[in-house]
Amino acid sequence: MSPRDSKSNAKQQQRKRKTPRREPMAPSRGWPGPGGGQVGGMDPPTMWRATTVQACGLWPFAAGSGAPMSGVPLGQHLHTGATVCGDPLSWFTRARYISNPSLFMLGMPGLGKSTLVNRMLIGLSATGVVPLVLGDLKPDYADTVRALGGQVISIGRGMGGINLLDPGAMGAAAAKIGGSAGQALEAEAHGRVLNMVAALVTIVRNSPMDDHEQAVLSAVLHHLRERTPPGRTPVLPDVLRVLSEGPDRVRAVTLDRGDESRYRDAVDPLHRSLLGILDGPLGDTFASETSTRIDLNTPAVCIDISRIGEADTQLTAAAMLAAWSDGLGSVAASHALADAGLTPRRWFFTVLDELWRPLRAASGIVDRIDALTRLNRTLGLGDAKITHTLKDAESLGTEADKAKARGFVERAGMVVCAGLPRAEMEELGKIVGLSQREIELVSSWSSPPGWAMTGEREEPPGRGRFLVKVGGRPGLPIRVSITDTERHLHDTNTRWAQNAQSPAKETGAAVEADAGPAPDRRIA
């Protein structure tokens, strides 16, 4: 062989060594570990083969980065045992992991969803954030808010009500600020009142209001604001009075052209719906003055609607929407005062639990919820929406409503999953992006406990376990272990304790049933 041929063969061998050979793996087989099973929490990567000369600096046993340490301590990583910290506000403001300070949580009942959110409330309150629980149904959060020195407002028949026409904190802030900024806040308060009354009519009718009816209602509200004497707030019966009188400002938007019959044809449907509110199941709660206004200077607020009966779906949905409107209006008022230099800046964290209840109350309610909660990022507001499954959205009447409800999940910065059936996880994976390993892990948490032979209470395998997802990142599987203080503050099973037994002793297992394994009482 000539020297030229030898040199050519050497170059060909060198080129072969520089080009690693790709050997794809079948996705269904997973990423094999030492024993042949799957390892890690991701789908199998592409495998490449190279010589030790080409890949001499590669360590094949690489692991992901450490657990995030910004925010409220939530629990321990299931695989590494490292402490995992996080909450929507800290991950948005400090860590910048998410672009929207919101959390959407799904999971079967009794697996600890409200326990995890209670922990976030306590941790955020310690940093100066004001928690707002706008509609506590069980109640899950009232005792925690009391322990934080906050304000608990009870809403229900014979207990307290909300005047939907009361601008509340926004009206007081507008008067205090004055000028163009005060006028802008007053206009926003008018829109919020209009939106809330329209939502109430939607609940009673089980169908949305017409556009011309909203114009009539807006004209009535403007008329009442101009004619109501200082120191008095109009109430719903005043709206009926104005509709009956038919002042020029209201008649102008009905296009009655001086014809009384045309005016009555335009306003009678709205008039009948408002009569149905006042004389029906909602009248006692929304027909009079607000019993207790939200205090902007309190460290936490809980609006407790647990006294409303389970079967009273209309009143429950209306009370939740009214509480959300009042609470978010208070947030807007606080920021307006801070913008004017009248108060220090404060951040807020709202909890919207049992989201399925108002969603099923009436067609079109999803629009009202969407309008109330879409702009939280611009309001200095983090939020947590909690429900059981995505089927809560799929049960809505129209495809448009279903798409809007799914948008709550799509827009969430953090998605937290407790135990869910596999079919539900497959559907969630189409929105969030879950690997097969993550789907299998969370699905395994939805299994019931075993048949205990000793007679002792056995915990379900998924109790206190959550998967935290952010965008396309691999999920963080965590285990939450509650403290004694949390155990006494939060017990959703108090009515299952025997009368002769001490609640303080019995709540241990019951609340642990909503958070983590009984033997481990370490602080997360």
Side-chain angles (χ1 to χ4, degrees), residues 235-254:
V235 291
L236 276 181
D238 294 328
V239 177
L240 292 177
R241 177 178 52 80
V242 173
L243 289 175
S244 298
E245 294 172 353
D248 292 340
R249 180 166 191 163
V250 178
R251 288 179 180 271
V253 299
T254 64

Side-chain angles (χ1 to χ4, degrees), residues 102-123:
S102 62
L103 176 150
F104 199 96
M105 183 178 293
L106 302 101
M108 301 299 288
L111 295 182
K113 300 187 298 297
S114 55
T115 300
L116 183 61
V117 174
N118 258 295
R119 172 162 293 182
M120 289 186 184
L121 293 186
I122 296 170

Side-chain angles (χ1 to χ4, degrees), residues 208-256:
M209 288 180 61
D210 295 332
D211 55 350
H212 75 275
E213 289 181 315
Q214 295 198 45
V216 170
L217 182 58
S218 179
V220 170
L221 295 176
H222 279 300
H223 177 82
L224 284 172
R225 189 179 70 244
E226 294 169 358
R227 301 299 179 89
T228 303
R232 181 182 176 274
T233 303
V235 291
L236 276 181
D238 294 328
V239 177
L240 292 177
R241 177 178 52 80
V242 173
L243 289 175
S244 298
E245 294 172 353
D248 292 340
R249 180 166 191 163
V250 178
R251 288 179 180 271
V253 299
T254 64
L255 302 179
D256 68 325

